[in-house]
Coordinates of all heavy atoms in Angstrom, one line a residue:
M282 N 1.3 0.7 -9.2 CA 2.6 0.6 -8.5 C 2.7 1.8 -7.6 O 2.4 2.9 -8.0 CB 3.8 0.5 -9.4 CG 5.0 0.2 -8.7 SD 6.5 0.1 -9.8 CE 6.2 -1.6 -10.3
E283 N 3.1 1.6 -6.4 CA 3.2 2.7 -5.4 C 4.4 3.6 -5.8 O 5.5 3.1 -6.2 CB 3.5 2.1 -4.0 CG 2.4 1.3 -3.4 CD 1.3 2.2 -2.9 OE1 1.6 3.3 -2.4 OE2 0.1 1.7 -3.0
P284 N 4.3 4.9 -5.5 CA 5.4 5.8 -5.8 C 6.5 5.6 -4.7 O 6.2 5.3 -3.6 CB 4.8 7.2 -5.7 CG 3.6 7.0 -4.9 CD 3.1 5.6 -5.2
F285 N 7.7 5.8 -5.1 CA 8.8 5.7 -4.1 C 9.1 7.1 -3.5 O 9.6 8.0 -4.2 CB 10.1 5.1 -4.8 CG 10.0 3.7 -5.0 CD1 9.4 3.2 -6.2 CD2 10.4 2.7 -4.1 CE1 9.3 1.9 -6.5 CE2 10.3 1.4 -4.3 CZ 9.7 1.0 -5.5
L286 N 8.7 7.3 -2.3 CA 8.9 8.6 -1.7 C 9.7 8.5 -0.4 O 9.6 7.4 0.3 CB 7.5 9.2 -1.3 CG 6.6 9.5 -2.5 CD1 5.2 9.9 -2.0 CD2 7.1 10.6 -3.3
V287 N 10.4 9.5 -0.1 CA 11.2 9.6 1.2 C 10.6 10.7 2.0 O 10.3 11.8 1.4 CB 12.7 9.8 0.9 CG1 13.5 9.9 2.2 CG2 13.2 8.8 0.0
H288 N 10.3 10.5 3.2 CA 9.7 11.5 4.1 C 10.9 12.1 4.9 O 11.5 11.4 5.7 CB 8.6 11.0 5.0 CG 7.5 10.5 4.1 ND1 7.3 9.2 3.8 CD2 6.5 11.2 3.6 CE1 6.2 9.1 3.1 NE2 5.7 10.3 2.9
I289 N 11.1 13.4 4.7 CA 12.2 14.1 5.4 C 11.7 15.3 6.2 O 10.9 16.1 5.7 CB 13.2 14.6 4.4 CG1 13.8 13.4 3.6 CG2 14.4 15.4 5.1 CD1 14.7 13.8 2.5
R290 N 12.1 15.4 7.4 CA 11.7 16.6 8.2 C 12.6 17.8 7.9 O 13.8 17.7 7.8 CB 11.8 16.3 9.7 CG 11.4 17.5 10.6 CD 11.5 17.1 12.0 NE 11.1 18.3 12.8 CZ 10.8 18.3 14.1 NH1 10.9 17.2 14.7 NH2 10.5 19.4 14.7
C291 N 12.0 18.9 7.6 CA 12.7 20.1 7.3 C 13.2 20.9 8.5 O 12.4 21.0 9.5 CB 11.8 21.0 6.4 SG 12.7 22.5 5.9
D292 N 14.4 21.3 8.6 CA 15.0 22.0 9.7 C 14.5 23.4 9.8 O 14.4 24.0 10.9 CB 16.5 21.9 9.7 CG 17.1 22.1 11.0 OD1 16.5 21.8 12.0 OD2 18.3 22.6 11.1
T293 N 14.0 24.0 8.7 CA 13.6 25.4 8.7 C 12.2 25.6 9.2 O 11.8 26.5 9.9 CB 13.8 26.1 7.4 OG1 13.1 25.3 6.4 CG2 15.3 26.1 7.0
D294 N 11.3 24.7 8.7 CA 9.8 24.9 9.1 C 9.3 23.8 10.0 O 8.2 23.9 10.5 CB 9.0 24.9 7.8 CG 8.9 23.7 7.0 OD1 9.5 22.7 7.4 OD2 8.3 23.7 5.9
G295 N 10.1 22.7 10.3 CA 9.7 21.7 11.2 C 8.7 20.7 10.7 O 8.2 19.8 11.4
L296 N 8.3 20.8 9.4 CA 7.3 19.9 8.8 C 8.0 18.8 8.1 O 9.2 18.9 7.7 CB 6.4 20.7 7.8 CG 5.6 21.8 8.4 CD1 4.9 22.5 7.3 CD2 4.6 21.3 9.4
T297 N 7.3 17.7 8.0 CA 7.8 16.5 7.3 C 7.3 16.6 5.8 O 6.1 16.8 5.6 CB 7.4 15.2 7.9 OG1 7.9 15.1 9.2 CG2 7.9 14.0 7.1
H298 N 8.2 16.6 4.9 CA 7.9 16.7 3.4 C 8.1 15.4 2.7 O 9.0 14.6 3.1 CB 8.7 17.8 2.8 CG 8.5 19.2 3.3 ND1 7.5 20.0 2.8 CD2 9.0 19.8 4.4 CE1 7.5 21.1 3.5 NE2 8.4 21.1 4.5
A299 N 7.4 15.2 1.6 CA 7.6 14.1 0.7 C 8.5 14.4 -0.4 O 8.4 15.4 -1.0 CB 6.2 13.6 0.2
V300 N 9.5 13.6 -0.6 CA 10.6 13.8 -1.6 C 10.6 12.6 -2.5 O 10.7 11.4 -1.9 CB 11.9 14.1 -0.9 CG1 13.0 14.3 -2.0 CG2 11.9 15.3 0.0
T301 N 10.6 12.7 -3.8 CA 10.8 11.6 -4.7 C 12.2 11.0 -4.5 O 13.1 11.7 -4.1 CB 10.5 11.9 -6.1 OG1 11.5 12.9 -6.6 CG2 9.1 12.5 -6.3
E302 N 12.3 9.8 -4.9 CA 13.6 9.1 -4.9 C 14.7 9.8 -5.7 O 15.8 9.9 -5.3 CB 13.4 7.6 -5.3 CG 14.7 6.8 -5.1 CD 14.4 5.3 -5.5 OE1 13.6 5.1 -6.4 OE2 15.1 4.5 -5.0
D303 N 14.3 10.3 -6.9 CA 15.2 11.0 -7.8 C 15.7 12.3 -7.2 O 16.9 12.6 -7.2 CB 14.6 11.2 -9.1 CG 14.3 9.9 -9.9 OD1 15.0 8.9 -9.6 OD2 13.4 9.9 -10.8
D304 N 14.8 13.0 -6.6 CA 15.2 14.3 -5.9 C 16.0 14.0 -4.7 O 16.9 14.8 -4.3 CB 13.9 15.1 -5.6 CG 13.3 15.7 -6.8 OD1 14.0 16.0 -7.8 OD2 12.0 15.9 -6.8
F305 N 15.7 12.9 -4.0 CA 16.6 12.6 -2.8 C 18.0 12.3 -3.3 O 18.9 12.7 -2.7 CB 16.0 11.4 -2.1 CG 16.8 10.9 -0.9 CD1 16.7 11.6 0.3 CD2 17.6 9.8 -1.0 CE1 17.5 11.2 1.4 CE2 18.3 9.4 0.1 CZ 18.3 10.1 1.3
A306 N 18.1 11.5 -4.4 CA 19.5 11.2 -4.9 C 20.2 12.4 -5.4 O 21.4 12.5 -5.2 CB 19.3 10.2 -6.0
A307 N 19.5 13.4 -5.9 CA 20.1 14.6 -6.4 C 20.6 15.5 -5.3 O 21.6 16.2 -5.5 CB 19.1 15.4 -7.3
G308 N 20.0 15.5 -4.2 CA 20.3 16.4 -3.1 C 21.1 15.8 -1.9 O 21.3 16.4 -0.9
R309 N 21.4 14.5 -2.1 CA 22.0 13.8 -0.9 C 23.3 14.3 -0.4 O 23.7 14.1 0.7 CB 22.0 12.3 -1.2 CG 23.1 11.9 -2.2 CD 23.1 10.4 -2.4 NE 24.1 10.0 -3.3 CZ 24.0 10.0 -4.6 NH1 22.9 10.2 -5.2 NH2 25.0 9.6 -5.4
H310 N 24.1 15.0 -1.3 CA 25.4 15.4 -0.9 C 25.4 16.7 -0.1 O 26.2 16.9 0.8 CB 26.3 15.6 -2.1 CG 26.6 14.3 -2.8 ND1 27.3 13.3 -2.2 CD2 26.2 13.8 -4.0 CE1 27.4 12.2 -3.0 NE2 26.7 12.5 -4.1
D311 N 24.4 17.6 -0.4 CA 24.4 18.9 0.3 C 23.3 19.0 1.3 O 23.2 19.9 2.1 CB 24.3 20.1 -0.6 CG 23.1 20.0 -1.5 OD1 22.4 19.1 -1.5 OD2 22.9 21.0 -2.3
G312 N 22.4 17.9 1.4 CA 21.4 17.9 2.4 C 20.2 18.8 2.1 O 19.4 19.1 3.0
R313 N 20.0 19.2 0.9 CA 18.9 20.0 0.4 C 18.1 19.2 -0.6 O 18.7 18.8 -1.6 CB 19.3 21.3 -0.1 CG 20.0 22.2 0.9 CD 20.3 23.6 0.3 NE 21.0 24.4 1.3 CZ 20.4 25.2 2.2 NH1 19.1 25.3 2.2 NH2 21.1 25.9 3.0
F314 N 16.8 19.1 -0.4 CA 16.0 18.3 -1.3 C 14.8 19.1 -1.8 O 14.3 19.9 -1.0 CB 15.5 17.0 -0.6 CG 16.7 16.3 0.1 CD1 17.0 16.5 1.4 CD2 17.4 15.4 -0.6 CE1 18.0 15.8 2.0 CE2 18.5 14.7 0.0 CZ 18.7 14.9 1.3
R315 N 14.3 18.8 -3.0 CA 13.1 19.4 -3.5 C 11.9 18.5 -3.2 O 11.9 17.4 -3.7 CB 13.3 19.6 -5.0 CG 12.1 20.2 -5.7 CD 11.8 21.7 -5.4 NE 13.0 22.5 -5.6 CZ 13.1 23.7 -5.2 NH1 12.2 24.3 -4.5 NH2 14.2 24.4 -5.4
A316 N 11.0 19.0 -2.4 CA 9.8 18.3 -2.0 C 8.8 18.3 -3.2 O 8.9 19.1 -4.1 CB 9.2 18.9 -0.8
V317 N 7.8 17.4 -3.1 CA 6.8 17.4 -4.2 C 6.0 18.6 -4.2 O 5.4 19.0 -5.3 CB 5.9 16.1 -4.1 CG1 6.7 14.8 -4.3 CG2 5.2 16.1 -2.8
C318 N 5.9 19.4 -3.1 CA 5.2 20.6 -3.1 C 6.0 21.8 -3.7 O 5.5 22.9 -3.8 CB 4.7 21.0 -1.7 SG 6.1 21.3 -0.5
G319 N 7.3 21.6 -3.9 CA 8.2 22.6 -4.4 C 9.1 23.3 -3.4 O 10.0 24.0 -3.7
H320 N 8.8 23.0 -2.1 CA 9.6 23.5 -1.0 C 11.0 22.9 -1.0 O 11.2 21.7 -1.3 CB 8.9 23.2 0.3 CG 9.6 23.7 1.5 ND1 9.6 25.0 1.9 CD2 10.4 23.1 2.4 CE1 10.3 25.2 3.0 NE2 10.8 24.1 3.3
E321 N 12.0 23.8 -0.8 CA 13.4 23.2 -0.7 C 13.6 22.8 0.8 O 13.5 23.7 1.7 CB 14.4 24.3 -1.1 CG 15.8 23.7 -1.0 CD 16.9 24.7 -1.5 OE1 16.5 25.5 -2.4 OE2 18.0 24.7 -1.0
V322 N 13.8 21.5 1.0 CA 13.9 21.0 2.3 C 15.4 20.9 2.8 O 16.2 20.4 2.1 CB 13.3 19.5 2.3 CG1 13.5 18.9 3.7 CG2 11.9 19.6 1.9
L323 N 15.6 21.5 3.9 CA 16.9 21.4 4.5 C 16.8 20.3 5.6 O 16.0 20.5 6.6 CB 17.4 22.7 5.2 CG 18.6 22.7 6.0 CD1 19.8 22.3 5.1 CD2 18.9 24.1 6.6
A324 N 17.4 19.2 5.4 CA 17.1 18.0 6.2 C 17.6 18.3 7.7 O 18.7 18.7 7.9 CB 17.9 16.8 5.7
A325 N 16.7 17.9 8.6 CA 16.9 18.0 10.0 C 17.7 16.7 10.4 O 17.7 15.7 9.6 CB 15.6 18.1 10.8
P326 N 18.4 16.8 11.5 CA 19.1 15.6 11.9 C 18.2 14.4 12.1 O 17.0 14.5 12.5 CB 19.7 15.9 13.3 CG 19.8 17.4 13.3 CD 18.7 17.9 12.4
M327 N 18.6 13.2 11.6 CA 17.7 12.0 11.6 C 17.4 11.5 13.0 O 16.5 10.7 13.2 CB 18.3 10.9 10.8 CG 18.5 11.3 9.4 SD 17.0 11.6 8.6 CE 17.5 12.2 7.0
I328 N 18.0 12.1 14.0 CA 17.7 11.7 15.4 C 16.4 12.3 15.9 O 15.8 11.9 16.8 CB 18.8 12.0 16.3 CG1 18.7 11.3 17.6 CG2 19.0 13.5 16.6 CD1 19.9 11.3 18.5
E329 N 15.9 13.4 15.2 CA 14.7 14.1 15.6 C 13.5 13.3 15.1 O 13.5 12.7 14.1 CB 14.7 15.5 15.0 CG 15.7 16.5 15.6 CD 15.5 17.9 15.1 OE1 14.4 18.3 14.8 OE2 16.5 18.6 15.1
A330 N 12.4 13.4 15.9 CA 11.2 12.7 15.5 C 10.6 13.4 14.3 O 10.8 14.6 14.1 CB 10.2 12.8 16.7
P331 N 9.8 12.7 13.5 CA 9.1 13.4 12.4 C 8.2 14.4 12.9 O 7.6 14.3 13.9 CB 8.4 12.2 11.7 CG 9.0 11.0 12.2 CD 9.6 11.3 13.6
G332 N 8.1 15.5 12.1 CA 7.1 16.6 12.4 C 5.8 16.3 11.8 O 5.5 15.2 11.2
R333 N 4.9 17.3 11.9 CA 3.6 17.2 11.2 C 3.8 17.1 9.7 O 4.7 17.8 9.2 CB 2.8 18.4 11.6 CG 1.3 18.3 11.2 CD 0.5 19.5 11.8 NE 1.1 20.8 11.5 CZ 0.7 21.5 10.5 NH1 -0.3 21.1 9.7 NH2 1.2 22.7 10.2
F334 N 3.0 16.3 9.0 CA 3.2 16.2 7.5 C 2.7 17.5 6.9 O 1.7 18.0 7.2 CB 2.4 15.0 7.0 CG 2.8 14.6 5.6 CD1 4.0 14.0 5.3 CD2 1.9 14.9 4.6 CE1 4.3 13.7 4.0 CE2 2.2 14.5 3.3 CZ 3.4 13.9 3.0
D335 N 3.5 18.0 5.9 CA 3.2 19.2 5.2 C 1.9 19.2 4.5 O 1.7 18.3 3.6 CB 4.3 19.6 4.3 CG 4.1 20.9 3.6 OD1 3.6 21.8 4.2 OD2 4.5 20.9 2.4
P336 N 0.9 20.1 4.7 CA -0.4 20.0 4.0 C -0.2 20.3 2.5 O -0.9 19.8 1.7 CB -1.2 21.2 4.6 CG -0.5 21.5 5.9 CD 0.9 21.1 5.8
A337 N 0.8 21.1 2.1 CA 1.0 21.4 0.7 C 1.5 20.1 0.0 O 1.1 19.8 -1.2 CB 2.1 22.5 0.5
C338 N 2.4 19.3 0.6 CA 2.8 18.0 0.0 C 1.6 17.1 -0.1 O 1.4 16.4 -1.1 CB 3.9 17.3 0.9 SG 5.5 18.1 0.7
R339 N 0.8 17.0 0.9 CA -0.4 16.2 0.9 C -1.3 16.6 -0.3 O -1.8 15.7 -1.0 CB -1.2 16.3 2.2 CG -2.4 15.3 2.3 CD -3.1 15.4 3.6 NE -2.3 15.1 4.7 CZ -2.0 15.9 5.7 NH1 -2.4 17.2 5.7 NH2 -1.2 15.5 6.7
D340 N -1.5 17.8 -0.4 CA -2.4 18.3 -1.6 C -1.8 18.0 -2.9 O -2.5 17.6 -3.8 CB -2.6 19.8 -1.4 CG -3.5 20.2 -0.2 OD1 -4.2 19.3 0.3 OD2 -3.5 21.4 0.2
A341 N -0.4 18.2 -3.0 CA 0.2 17.9 -4.3 C 0.1 16.4 -4.6 O 0.0 16.0 -5.8 CB 1.7 18.3 -4.2
L342 N 0.3 15.5 -3.6 CA 0.2 14.1 -3.8 C -1.3 13.7 -4.2 O -1.5 12.8 -5.1 CB 0.6 13.3 -2.6 CG 2.1 13.4 -2.3 CD1 2.4 12.7 -1.0 CD2 2.9 12.7 -3.4
R343 N -2.3 14.3 -3.6 CA -3.6 14.0 -4.0 C -4.0 14.5 -5.3 O -4.8 13.9 -6.1 CB -4.6 14.6 -2.9 CG -4.5 13.8 -1.6 CD -5.5 14.4 -0.6 NE -5.4 13.7 0.6 CZ -5.9 14.2 1.8 NH1 -6.5 15.4 1.8 NH2 -5.8 13.5 2.9
A344 N -3.5 15.7 -5.7 CA -3.8 16.3 -7.0 C -3.2 15.6 -8.2 O -3.7 15.5 -9.3 CB -3.4 17.7 -7.0
A345 N -1.9 15.1 -8.0 CA -1.2 14.5 -9.1 C -0.8 13.0 -8.7 O 0.3 12.8 -8.1 CB 0.1 15.3 -9.4
P346 N -1.7 12.1 -8.9 CA -1.4 10.7 -8.5 C -0.3 10.1 -9.4 O 0.2 9.0 -9.1 CB -2.7 9.9 -8.7 CG -3.4 10.7 -9.7 CD -3.0 12.2 -9.5
Q347 N 0.2 10.8 -10.4 CA 1.2 10.3 -11.3 C 2.6 10.7 -10.8 O 3.4 11.2 -11.6 CB 1.0 10.7 -12.7 CG -0.3 10.2 -13.3 CD -0.3 8.7 -13.4 OE1 0.7 8.0 -13.2 NE2 -1.5 8.1 -13.7
V348 N 2.9 10.5 -9.5 CA 4.3 10.7 -9.0 C 5.2 9.7 -9.7 O 4.8 8.5 -9.8 CB 4.3 10.6 -7.5 CG1 5.7 10.7 -7.0 CG2 3.4 11.7 -6.9
P349 N 6.4 10.1 -10.1 CA 7.2 9.1 -10.8 C 7.4 7.8 -10.0 O 7.7 7.9 -8.8 CB 8.6 9.8 -10.9 CG 8.2 11.3 -10.8 CD 7.0 11.4 -10.0
T350 N 7.3 6.7 -10.6 CA 7.5 5.4 -9.9 C 8.7 4.7 -10.5 O 9.2 5.1 -11.6 CB 6.3 4.5 -10.1 OG1 6.1 4.3 -11.5 CG2 5.1 5.1 -9.5
Q351 N 9.2 3.8 -9.8 CA 10.3 3.0 -10.3 C 9.9 1.5 -10.4 O 9.2 1.0 -9.5 CB 11.5 3.1 -9.2 CG 12.7 2.3 -9.6 CD 13.7 2.4 -8.5 OE1 13.6 3.0 -7.5 NE2 14.8 1.7 -8.7
E352 N 10.3 1.0 -11.5 CA 9.9 -0.4 -11.7 C 10.8 -1.3 -10.8 O 12.0 -1.0 -10.6 CB 10.2 -0.8 -13.2 CG 9.2 -0.1 -14.1 CD 9.5 -0.5 -15.6 OE1 10.1 -1.6 -15.8 OE2 9.0 0.2 -16.4
R353 N 10.3 -2.4 -10.4 CA 11.0 -3.3 -9.6 C 12.1 -4.0 -10.4 O 11.9 -4.4 -11.6 CB 10.2 -4.4 -9.0 CG 9.2 -3.8 -8.0 CD 8.4 -4.9 -7.3 NE 7.5 -4.3 -6.4 CZ 7.3 -4.7 -5.2 NH1 8.0 -5.8 -4.8 NH2 6.5 -4.1 -4.4
R354 N 13.3 -4.0 -9.9 CA 14.4 -4.7 -10.6 C 14.4 -6.2 -10.3 O 14.1 -6.6 -9.2 CB 15.7 -4.0 -10.1 CG 15.8 -2.6 -10.5 CD 17.2 -2.1 -10.1 NE 17.2 -0.7 -10.4 CZ 17.4 0.3 -9.5 NH1 17.7 -0.1 -8.3 NH2 17.4 1.5 -9.8
R355 N 14.7 -6.9 -11.3 CA 14.8 -8.3 -11.2 C 16.1 -8.7 -10.5 O 17.2 -8.2 -10.8 CB 14.8 -9.0 -12.6 CG 14.7 -10.5 -12.5 CD 14.7 -11.0 -13.9 NE 13.6 -12.0 -13.9 CZ 13.3 -12.7 -15.0 NH1 13.9 -12.4 -16.1 NH2 12.4 -13.6 -14.9
L356 N 16.0 -9.5 -9.5 CA 17.2 -9.9 -8.7 C 17.9 -10.9 -9.6 O 17.4 -11.8 -10.2 CB 16.8 -10.6 -7.4 CG 16.0 -9.6 -6.5 CD1 15.6 -10.4 -5.2 CD2 16.9 -8.4 -6.1
R357 N 19.3 -10.8 -9.5 CA 20.1 -11.7 -10.4 C 20.0 -13.2 -10.0 O 20.0 -14.1 -10.8 CB 21.5 -11.3 -10.3 CG 21.8 -10.0 -11.0 CD 23.2 -9.7 -11.1 NE 23.4 -8.5 -11.9 CZ 24.6 -8.0 -12.1 NH1 25.7 -8.5 -11.6 NH2 24.7 -6.9 -12.8
W358 N 19.9 -13.4 -8.7 CA 19.9 -14.8 -8.3 C 18.6 -15.5 -8.6 O 18.5 -16.7 -8.6 CB 20.2 -14.9 -6.8 CG 19.2 -14.2 -5.9 CD1 19.3 -13.0 -5.5 CD2 18.1 -14.8 -5.3 NE1 18.2 -12.6 -4.7 CE2 17.5 -13.8 -4.6 CE3 17.5 -16.0 -5.3 CZ2 16.3 -14.0 -3.8 CZ3 16.3 -16.2 -4.6 CH2 15.7 -15.2 -3.9
R359 N 17.6 -14.8 -9.1 CA 16.3 -15.4 -9.4 C 16.2 -15.6 -11.0 O 15.2 -16.1 -11.4 CB 15.2 -14.5 -9.0 CG 15.0 -14.6 -7.5 CD 13.7 -13.9 -7.2 NE 13.3 -14.3 -5.8 CZ 12.2 -13.9 -5.2 NH1 11.4 -13.0 -5.9 NH2 11.9 -14.3 -4.0
T360 N 17.2 -15.1 -11.7 CA 17.1 -15.3 -13.2 C 17.3 -16.7 -13.6 O 17.9 -17.5 -12.9 CB 18.1 -14.4 -13.9 OG1 19.4 -14.8 -13.4 CG2 17.8 -12.9 -13.6
R361 N 16.7 -17.0 -14.7 CA 16.9 -18.4 -15.2 C 18.2 -18.6 -15.8 O 18.9 -17.7 -16.2 CB 15.9 -18.7 -16.4 CG 14.5 -18.7 -15.9 CD 13.6 -19.0 -17.0 NE 12.2 -18.8 -16.7 CZ 11.2 -19.1 -17.4 NH1 11.4 -19.7 -18.5 NH2 10.0 -18.9 -17.0
R362 N 18.7 -19.8 -15.8 CA 20.0 -20.2 -16.3 C 19.9 -20.6 -17.7 O 19.0 -21.1 -18.2 CB 20.6 -21.2 -15.4 CG 20.9 -20.7 -14.0 CD 21.5 -21.7 -13.2 NE 21.6 -21.2 -11.8 CZ 22.3 -21.7 -11.0 NH1 23.2 -22.7 -11.2 NH2 22.3 -21.2 -9.7

């Protein structure tokens, strides 16, 4: 199953970082997110184009293929009666 990642451009370094869904949810109120490489991402305005992908995030994703995944939820309207 594919990992659920959000790609966010950092306002401080201009790079696009990979953030897990759980870390995105944890930082959504203050706009600071923990990337998979460990960098604290200060989200740039979403109107800006994505920057170059962070090499440290790329290396972290290649080294640890076990990024937390989320199981697909069953839709209610598809359940049996």
Side-chain angles (χ1 to χ4, degrees):
M282 183 179 283
E283 295 282 328
F285 287 88
L286 298 172
V287 180
H288 296 96
I289 301 175
R290 181 176 179 170
C291 182
D292 202 24
T293 56
D294 65 5
L296 298 174
T297 298
H298 295 269
V300 177
T301 63
E302 186 178 27
D303 292 335
D304 288 331
F305 179 77
R309 71 181 183 270
H310 294 295
D311 60 355
R313 294 183 183 271
F314 309 96
R315 178 71 51 195
V317 296
C318 66
H320 180 76
E321 184 176 329
V322 178
L323 175 62
M327 297 299 173
I328 196 167
E329 291 188 29
R333 187 172 58 93
F334 194 72
D335 180 38
C338 282
R339 182 180 300 118
D340 293 342
L342 291 173
R343 286 181 182 163
Q347 296 298 348
V348 175
T350 59
Q351 177 182 1
E352 294 180 19
R353 293 184 181 227
R354 295 185 184 120
R355 183 179 228 181
L356 299 176
R357 288 187 177 180
W358 59 272
R359 288 188 162 180
T360 58
R361 294 185 190 187
R362 295 181 188 198

